[in-house]
Amino acid sequence: MSHAGRAAEPDKRMLRRELLAVRGRLTADDVRASATALAGRALELPELARARTVAAYVSVGGEPGTLALLDALRARGVRVLLPALLPDNDLDWGAYTGGDSLARVQHGGKMALFEPAGERLGPGAVTEADVVLLPGLAVDARGMRLGRGGGSYDRVLARLERARAHPALVVLLYDSEVVERVPEEPHDRPVHAVVTPSGVRRFG
């Protein structure tokens, strides 16, 4: 890792703590209201209007809610893929076919996640997506995304690059999480757009 990369790590950890603390103060009603607004904004994206396959995720805790969006995409006839966390932090994928296709999975001391209960399609399934919806904690004016630090989506983005797949990369956040600048490391890649409850912002 370069010196710049090493310097970014403590800064990222501090910023993550601050952002997670703000999310931790949200009520269930806050999260629900944001989820409805977020779905409405995301569905206006031309990339999602054209998409046949979308790789997404099920929000947990104080994350911007995604279930309303997943159901709206399915109602449009879109194939929705959801991740399942593997022991090495990589992601496998399965199809979302409604709320009853989700299983609550506890990963060690980490938070419980909702994962597809059906057939596993393999880590490479994400390369078929026209749009990849990414979780995150912040995005900056250049489109650089701050993740949770597990590295799962760094692997996904590297896999897309190796496969020469070029889906639209869209991060879902709260309005206050669009910031001036996040610390970055050499392997970090910008996203194409951020959707928040108040609108869409594009990068590059």
Side-chain angles (χ1 to χ4, degrees), residues 8 18 22 24 28 31 46-47 59 73 75 83 102 106 108 129-130 132 138 167 177 180 187 189 200:
E18 290 167 17
V22 174
V31 175
E47 291 89 340
S59 53
L73 288 170
L102 297 176
Q106 184 72 47
D130 303 301
V132 178
E177 295 168 342
E180 200 45 52
H187 63 262
R189 296 283 174 273
V200 173

Side-chain angles (χ1 to χ4, degrees), residues 3 11 24 31 35 56 70 85 92 125 135 140-141 148 164 169-170 182 204:
H3 175 70
D11 295 346
V31 175
L70 302 185
L85 189 65
D92 200 339
D140 72 13
R148 279 183 171 268
R164 293 191 167 81
L169 303 175
V170 180
V182 302

